[in-house]
Amino acid sequence: MHGLKFGRRLSLARVAAEAALRGLPAAESPEGVVPVPPGPWRWRWRGFDPAEEIAIAAAEIIGVPFSTCLRRGRGRRQVGRRRWQRLAEPPRVWTVAAAPREVLLVDDVWTTGATLSACAQALRAAGSQRIVALTLARAL
C-alpha cells in the first residue's frame, strides 16, 4: 500500500485488486464496483486516489461496471484521529449518480469502519440493496 499511496506506483493497484479479490467469496456477484471517495483536497494533493485505482482494476478483473457515484464532503481527515473520534464524527458522504443495486465498495485500508459505514448508508439511501466492502488491508 505504501508504494501505491505514497510512491505513486499506480501499477500496484492491479496487484492490490487481485490480492483483495482473493478474499471475496465466489458467491458474491456485484453489479458494480464503487470506490470510497477521497476528501476533495486529498485527491488534488495526490493527483489520484488509491481506492479508486484499486476499484478500477477490480471492476476490470471481475468484469462489472465501475462507478464514482459517491462524493465526500470537506471535513477533518480520519488519519491520526482516535477511534472514538472517527466513529463520533464520520465523513459526510452522498451519492451524485445512480448507485448499483449490488455494490462492491472498495477502499484501500479499513481502520474503524466509520468511512465504509458512511458510504454504505449513502448507497442504501440511493437504493443499493446489497453492499459488500472490500479492502486490501486492515489497520489495528
Side-chain angles (χ1 to χ4, degrees):
M1 275 316 310
H2 194 270
L4 173 60
K5 284 180 92 156
F6 305 109
R8 297 173 122 36
R9 295 181 54 204
L10 299 183
S11 63
L12 293 175
R14 185 164 185 93
V15 175
E18 289 169 348
L21 285 169
R22 281 196 288 275
L24 186 68
E28 293 297 337
S29 57
E31 295 175 357
V33 176
V34 175
V36 167
W41 69 271
R42 198 75 176 146
W43 195 95
R44 285 192 296 271
W45 179 72
R46 272 198 186 113
F48 72 99
D49 177 48
E52 182 175 296
E53 296 298 324
I54 294 168
I56 290 169
E60 289 174 358
I61 292 167
I62 62 176
V64 299
F66 167 79
S67 173
T68 55
C69 63
L70 294 176
R71 290 291 181 273
R72 185 173 179 162
R74 292 186 181 161
R76 296 186 58 193
R77 288 181 60 205
Q78 294 291 72
V79 174
R81 298 176 74 200
R82 298 211 181 266
R83 177 178 174 76
W84 68 269
Q85 293 170 314
R86 289 174 180 237
L87 295 172
E89 191 182 340
R92 191 170 59 87
V93 179
W94 66 94
T95 56
V96 294
R101 193 171 58 82
E102 295 191 13
V103 178
L104 182 61
L105 178 63
V106 177
D107 202 359
D108 52 353
V109 179
W110 169 29
T111 305
T112 63
T115 302
L116 287 169
S117 291
C119 292
Q121 287 176 2
L123 288 166
R124 284 213 189 278
S128 295
Q129 295 178 4
R130 181 161 175 77
I131 302 157
V132 174
L134 182 71
T135 64
L136 179 65
R138 170 93 201 267
L140 299 175

